[in-house]
Amino acid sequence: MKLDTGMFEDVPVLRRKWHAALKPGETLPRYENVLLGSLGRLADHLVLLKCDNDAFAVSRTGRYAQKWLGDERWDIPMDALRQDCATVLSEAASNAIANNHPYLAAAHCVRDGMVRTYDVLALPTLSRWGGTLVGAYVNERGPEYNLLDAIFSTTDDGVITLSTIRDATGQPFDFQVMHHNQAALRLLNVTERSLLWQRLSSGAHLLCSQAVVGRLRAAVKDDRGDQFEIDSDERSLRLAIAAFGGILSLIISDVTPLKRRDASFRLLFDSNPMPMLALDAETMAFVKVNDAAVQHYGYARETFLRMRVHEIWPKDEWLSYTQALRDVGDNYQSEHHSRHVKADGSEICVLTFGRRLVLEEREGYLVAVVDITERRKAEARIAHMALHDGLTNLPNRALLRERLYEALEGSNAADKRVAVLCIDLDLFKNVNDSFGHPMGDRLLTQVADRLRSQVAGKNLTARLGGDEFAVILADDTSPKEASDFAAGLIEILSAPYKIDGNEVVIGASIGIALSPADGTSSEELMRNADMALYRAKEDGRGTQRFFEREMDHQVQRRRELELDLRRAFANGDFELHYQPLVDVARDKISGFEALLRWRHPEKGMISPAEFIPVAEDIGLIASLGERVLREACNEAVKWPSEIKVAVNLSPAQFRSRNLVQVVILALADSGLPPKRLELEITESVFLAETDANLAILHQLRELGVSIAMDDFGTGYSSLSYLRSFPFDKIKIDRSFVKDLAKRSDCVAIVRAISGLGRSLNITTTAEGVETTEQLDWLRAEGCNEVQGFLFSGARPAAEVAQLLRRFGARASRAA
């Protein structure tokens, strides 16, 4: 949400408004005197709460408040909201009511790892119907910040995340810095520019030495942790490496103070902030512990000094830890973390540093303990986040590629097959558009659970992004087994979902590729499975398709079409043809629909059904639509003044948000009166950002432009759209006209649409009229306009004048 800098002025204004509405002798002002009236933009920030038996419910919310809540519903209980929002609203409202005074609270909300701080001002009021209403004003205060970065920025240890760069044989040979905290810059004495995203092979700091890089390579190769020290002129650094596949987490600790304290043990032992333990070498009893050890382990000093060291070890580690301690030479540092037990029975993860020395004339050990419990948790979180999807907790694309690489290596050696299944959810976009992204996220989580339940052993399922998933079948998999598995997934994923009391139904399409026939590398298999998925969706969704080599050829042809399309746009190779619209009652042409045509220099005429979807996919349709609109207006101004021109609009033109300005400029440049321009849309315009698109349509209509609904009757909600917007025209889809003479249901539909048009004073136009019999039916049912090959197909602009002469006298007769 955008930060509203007016917040600092809004709170005093609302306080003054509350106090001004408070009448003498009353404890609270009236609701209508405070929260109704000229609030202006402040109303968008309000959450209206009803108080009933000390319980709050959300009555109404403004648009800004709805985004904060992540919920657009009204009249819902408080416990239906996100917990962070519900908590601060309850706190502010309760304190405001208890004090009979406005109360200002602060909310700290974490969204996608970012912390945002909001001020919440609760204004208690009295309802005219009895009871208390609280208006809570919400606005963001101050900039957001990254929670994980904030955590790591407070530690003195350097934290660096490295990605592995492999050579052609798959062996690690270099590393790139993906993340670091400020402490890492300080410890390495480098700038951020010389560290972040830099390869170690091109750097000059301490981590770039051959010794360090060698240890990093070994950690990746053996998939294990490591720990060692490096020294510079200024300090000694301890490096702790945790390997997670191709990701390394590197913790840099400054152990210079520890080394110095070791040299002056007797002076610094007691004041050392690290837990320090002194042991008798023979009895293994504690002979001395410092304050830090007492505080950290939770034992009283007297108790500590009656204990032996094995009492702070887990029982299953007594033998191994005892032997390790017996083997300590003059100096000792643990290469791996150890587990210790505190007085309360909880376990901690530690690194230990020790040396042999003489204590009170007896052989003993001095042990320093570093608690890395939280560090290990942080390392695990970082590594998990790098390889897993944040929403579903499934493996992400990076981990999928790593596991697929491993599976292919094993299968190639054993002459076995690996299957890759690319999965795309059908109708998921409808769920997002209809119910909102929070519902979509919950649906994705349930989909992930169902996928996870079907995958076991060496197999893996991952989320690739959006509503795309993938499955690796790593065991030797036959085509039939892969097909059966895919069919089972489609059935499972297509079963209804219960989310927030709603039943949601989606489907799934799956593309399958098997090694080695469809590829021997992870990249090739993934690409080919994705091509198979594309074919499955083209073939009607809810199905599965295996990769075929012809698909690769189709992809090549698609790429060629994209390049040709861009060249055609740049060179102006598109043409506008015009198909007449015939007024049935007057037997005259009332207008022309502008239709785009592409005359390819080598392939001839290319169907709009082939190139329009491609233009939409590559983001060319908005610019193409703008050019069509300008050319159509420039051509129509040459026609008789009673002849209109109809231009189709794409949903992409609405998303560009400059559609109104484009129409205004086209009319102004051409001089065409707005009443002679008709803009045709389909119901897909309403499937996303409905309110914004409705606002654009109203602005266009205010210009004097006519708005027509194309392909009426083919969608799910055509009637509801007539309530949403006052259309000037509805166009009956050609699928109903085609079978008028054969099917009574088509006649009934045409009759109903025509009647609806008459009742709402909306012009009805029938598309695809090809026979005089169809025309007679349409005239009988009261259809206002017709178009189709019975009169003429779409013709070049140069033939418009001839068409007007040809159909001027008796336009409704077949030519």
Side-chain angles (χ1 to χ4, degrees), residues 404 419-423 464 469-471 509-514 518 522-536 545-548 551:
L404 181 54
V420 173
L421 284 67
C422 282
I423 306 163
L464 304 181
F469 297 82
V471 171
S509 300
I510 299 179
I512 308 170
L514 279 86
D518 299 335
S522 56
E523 293 79 8
E524 190 178 9
L525 267 186
M526 287 294 296
R527 184 179 67 250
N528 292 343
D530 194 56
M531 278 192 268
L533 170 62
Y534 186 79
R535 171 62 62 83
R545 289 291 181 267
F546 281 88
F547 171 75
E548 300 169 3
M551 296 177 184

Side-chain angles (χ1 to χ4, degrees), residues 508-771:
S509 300
I510 299 179
I512 308 170
L514 279 86
S515 71
D518 299 335
T520 56
S521 69
S522 56
E523 293 79 8
E524 190 178 9
L525 267 186
M526 287 294 296
R527 184 179 67 250
N528 292 343
D530 194 56
M531 278 192 268
L533 170 62
Y534 186 79
R535 171 62 62 83
K537 295 184 77 68
E538 274 191 336
D539 290 350
R541 305 175 185 268
T543 187
Q544 55 171 294
R545 289 291 181 267
F546 281 88
F547 171 75
E548 300 169 3
R549 287 296 164 188
E550 175 62 22
M551 296 177 184
D552 200 13
H553 300 152
Q554 291 176 354
V555 170
Q556 295 299 327
R557 289 197 294 270
R558 160 74 180 228
R559 289 176 185 153
E560 291 175 4
L561 184 61
E562 290 179 7
L563 292 173
D564 289 347
L565 198 55
R566 293 186 190 277
R567 279 194 291 267
F569 181 77
N571 298 334
D573 291 341
F574 293 100
E575 304 173 7
L576 275 188
H577 288 195
Y578 299 89
Q579 185 175 33
L581 300 166
V582 179
D583 186 314
V584 175
R586 297 190 301 118
D587 286 342
K588 291 185 178 181
I589 292 177
S590 58
F592 289 88
E593 181 178 357
L595 298 169
L596 190 63
R597 295 293 183 263
W598 178 15
R599 193 183 302 277
H600 193 281
E602 298 174 359
K603 303 174 183 176
M605 279 293 187
I606 296 181
S607 168
E610 184 175 354
F611 72 81
I612 291 294
V614 178
E616 290 177 342
D617 289 345
I618 65 177
L620 201 60
I621 196 67
S623 300
L624 198 55
E626 182 178 344
R627 184 176 293 182
V628 168
L629 184 64
R630 288 201 307 268
E631 184 177 336
C633 289
N634 287 330
E635 190 64 35
V637 79
K638 305 172 187 176
W639 305 339
S641 59
E642 72 275 9
I643 304 299
K644 289 186 173 185
V645 64
V647 179
N648 291 280
L649 294 180
S650 164
Q653 291 174 270
F654 283 82
R655 290 194 292 272
S656 69
R657 293 292 175 251
N658 67 339
L659 179 58
V660 177
Q661 288 76 14
V662 168
V663 173
I664 292 173
L665 286 174
L667 292 171
D669 291 344
S670 64
L672 184 73
K675 66 180 181 180
R676 293 183 58 196
L677 176 61
E678 186 174 280
L679 299 175
E680 296 186 8
I681 67 169
T682 62
E683 69 175 50
S684 58
V685 167
F686 296 102
L687 293 180
E689 301 180 343
T690 304
D691 292 340
N693 291 345
L694 277 173
I696 292 173
L697 288 173
H698 281 291
Q699 292 177 55
L700 291 172
R701 203 162 187 267
E702 288 171 4
L703 297 176
V705 173
S706 300
I707 307 296
M709 167 68 83
D710 201 5
D711 301 333
F712 185 80
T714 60
Y716 293 106
S717 306
S718 298
L719 291 177
S720 68
Y721 299 138
L722 295 183
R723 296 180 58 193
S724 304
F725 183 80
F727 287 94
D728 300 286
K729 178 187 289 187
I730 50 180
K731 302 189 72 175
I732 303 171
D733 187 72
R734 65 181 64 247
S735 61
F736 302 124
V737 175
K738 179 182 178 183
D739 296 326
L740 265 177
K742 302 175 183 177
R743 296 179 53 173
S744 59
D745 56 342
C746 290
V747 175
I749 291 172
V750 170
R751 181 178 298 149
I753 295 175
S754 298
L756 186 65
R758 286 192 298 273
S759 300
L760 297 176
N761 198 26
I762 298 175
T763 300
T764 53
T765 301
E767 299 178 289
V769 181
E770 298 180 356
T771 67

Side-chain angles (χ1 to χ4, degrees), residues 397-416:
R397 188 183 294 269
L399 184 53
L400 177 81
R401 284 176 175 170
E402 184 179 313
R403 293 290 178 83
L404 181 54
Y405 175 82
E406 295 171 356
L408 287 173
E409 275 200 328
S411 68
N412 292 338
D415 195 23
K416 295 181 178 180

Side-chain angles (χ1 to χ4, degrees), residues 156-157 186-187 229 231 234-238 253-265 268-269 271-274 276 353 368 370:
D156 291 333
D157 287 338
R186 176 177 54 81
L187 292 174
E229 289 184 9
D231 295 309
E234 299 178 0
R235 55 168 60 97
S236 297
L237 300 179
R238 174 170 296 281
S253 303
D254 188 351
V255 294
T256 307
L258 176 62
K259 286 197 168 185
R260 291 172 181 168
R261 279 193 291 270
D262 282 344
S264 53
F265 164 69
L268 301 176
F269 181 90
S271 59
N272 198 311
M274 298 171 60
M276 302 288 288
F353 307 86
V370 178

Side-chain angles (χ1 to χ4, degrees), residues 255-310:
V255 294
T256 307
L258 176 62
K259 286 197 168 185
R260 291 172 181 168
R261 279 193 291 270
D262 282 344
S264 53
F265 164 69
R266 294 192 180 278
L267 293 176
L268 301 176
F269 181 90
D270 291 332
S271 59
N272 198 311
M274 298 171 60
M276 302 288 288
L277 311 170
L279 315 174
D280 185 286
E282 182 179 348
T283 64
M284 294 292 180
F286 293 111
V287 296
K288 192 170 186 179
V289 294
N290 68 353
D291 292 341
V294 170
Q295 182 177 3
H296 201 75
Y297 284 88
Y299 293 104
R301 190 180 304 275
E302 295 77 13
T303 304
F304 235 139
L305 297 178
R306 292 195 298 268
M307 295 168 56
R308 299 180 185 273
V309 68
H310 69 266

